[in-house]
Amino acid sequence: MGGGDNGGPENALIFRNTNAGDESSITIDDLDGDSLTRMASPTSILGLDKLEDKTIVADATHNTGEITLFSDQPYTIESGVNDNILAQLGLHDIEQREDQGNGQLRVEPGEGDDDDFLLSGFKHGDQLNTEDGSFSIWIYEEDGSLALPQPVEVSMERAYTARDAVEAINNAIINAGGTDNPEDTHPTPWVQANFEKQRFTLTPNDGHQFALDGARQDDGTFGRDTSNFLQVAGLNTFFTGDSAGTIGINQTVAEDLNYLAAGQVQDDGQIYAGDNTNALEISNLQQKDDIKFDGGRSNSLNGFYNSLIGDIGNKGRTIGRNQEFNELVLNQMQEMRDAVSGVSLDEEMANLVKFQHAYTAAARMISISDEMLVTLLETVR
């Protein structure tokens, strides 16, 4: 278990090779929901949705000697009725465990600064393209003129951890000439990427500023970001959160509207005052018909809302009809039960009258018999 001081992210699960860096492999499989439990998909919160067989392997191709499972949401590992399996993994003696011996390990997200976090552990990490995805950064002088004639193209190929992403950004800027000390062993880029407390930051030095390319492409994407890294990392976004319940305004933009990027960077790197392209694109989101929603559906916001209202209406009517049907069945069953075991006041009253007449007749018969016996006795005398 990572603790921030042992080479692992705080409260992350670390599976380390005994021979770090060699060709030995680490394999984690059988992540089918039986061993990791949560209301939503357990492989989703660990960013493993895209794995065909729910298996993750650190091999000779990209082997640092360990695999770190990280999520910004809590999850529970269930390894059976006791701690035998946890003991085999070296996870049975962890201080954070409240209950020893029950075969369960609760993992909570931490605030560690370690940069070995898997990018797939972030919200929507399954949308990352780490095969051939990239994004662009324009770098400017303090006066707004271009510091580099072309945008810095940052490739996210094989960027699996936060450290990989930070190194990809910083190395791309340095290799493009964006440094004042290229001859140093560790040159400092004009815009430096960092990862702290589970957040990515891009910080320019005193003499420079930057813009993340926001031009709209033919396929409808923004930022020339084919890796989706900017959105997943929360860089250059207007909003925070990942659902209707958590949506909010980017704190930087909320505190200073000068950071509101209403326009876009043009193909030549120029940014024009008064450009409201982004603002228009945001306002047009209501009519765009290629917005992707959870479940794989694509629709416009208006279409999704209308569809949602229709679904709610249909479900409401179905529920109402089911209620009426069940009430009719209930009433019929109650009538059938009452016919067998219930009490009818009219029937009971008729029975009482019948029994009363029978009693009266019996009493009359006894009275007549008594009179006949008395008469007979008197005659015999």
Side-chain angles (χ1 to χ4, degrees), residues 233-305:
L235 294 171
N236 200 35
T237 59
F238 291 100
F239 305 101
T240 60
D242 59 273
S243 67
T246 60
I247 191 171
I249 302 297
N250 187 310
Q251 191 63 30
T252 302
V253 174
E255 293 175 354
D256 188 350
L257 294 182
N258 289 320
Y259 287 101
L260 182 62
Q264 298 179 357
V265 182
Q266 304 302 311
D267 290 337
D268 57 0
Q270 297 300 315
I271 302 175
Y272 299 108
D275 181 7
N276 62 347
T277 312
N278 278 342
L280 292 175
E281 290 289 353
I282 291 176
S283 66
N284 289 334
L285 285 175
Q286 187 173 0
Q287 284 78 37
K288 279 175 56 65
D289 58 3
D290 58 352
I291 298 177
K292 293 183 179 179
F293 295 89
D294 286 346
R297 291 184 295 174
S298 295
N299 204 339
S300 66
L301 292 177
N302 279 342
F304 181 81
Y305 177 76

Side-chain angles (χ1 to χ4, degrees), residues 21 26 36 62 65 84 95 99 116 120 122-123 145 151-152 182-183 186 190 229 246 251 261 275 281 289 292 315 343:
I26 308 172
L36 294 173
H62 188 270
N84 288 344
E95 295 180 358
D99 226 348
D116 279 329
S120 56
F122 286 90
K123 291 281 186 4
S145 61
V152 176
E183 303 301 326
H186 300 289
W190 289 339
F229 172 75
T246 60
Q251 191 63 30
D275 181 7
E281 290 289 353
D289 58 3
K292 293 183 179 179
K315 289 180 180 178
V343 176

Side-chain angles (χ1 to χ4, degrees), residues 13-16 26-28 56-58 65-69 118:
L13 288 181
I14 307 163
F15 297 90
R16 184 169 286 117
I26 308 172
T27 302
I28 302 174
I56 181 170
V57 178
E66 68 182 34
I67 292 177
T68 302
L69 295 185
L118 286 178

Side-chain angles (χ1 to χ4, degrees), residues 175-224:
N175 293 336
T179 180
D180 293 326
N181 50 348
E183 303 301 326
D184 290 357
T185 305
H186 300 289
T188 303
W190 289 339
V191 179
Q192 189 162 8
N194 287 290
F195 181 77
E196 297 177 345
K197 295 184 178 179
Q198 302 181 24
R199 293 185 59 191
F200 285 97
T201 58
L202 295 177
T203 307
N205 61 15
D206 291 338
H208 296 87
Q209 50 186 324
F210 72 96
L212 296 172
D213 197 338
R216 181 179 175 84
Q217 303 303 293
D218 294 337
D219 62 359
T221 59
F222 284 92
R224 293 192 176 95

Side-chain angles (χ1 to χ4, degrees), residues 139-153:
I139 301 180
Y140 304 87
E141 302 287 355
E142 189 65 31
D143 60 4
S145 61
L146 286 172
L148 295 173
Q150 299 293 331
V152 176
E153 193 77 13

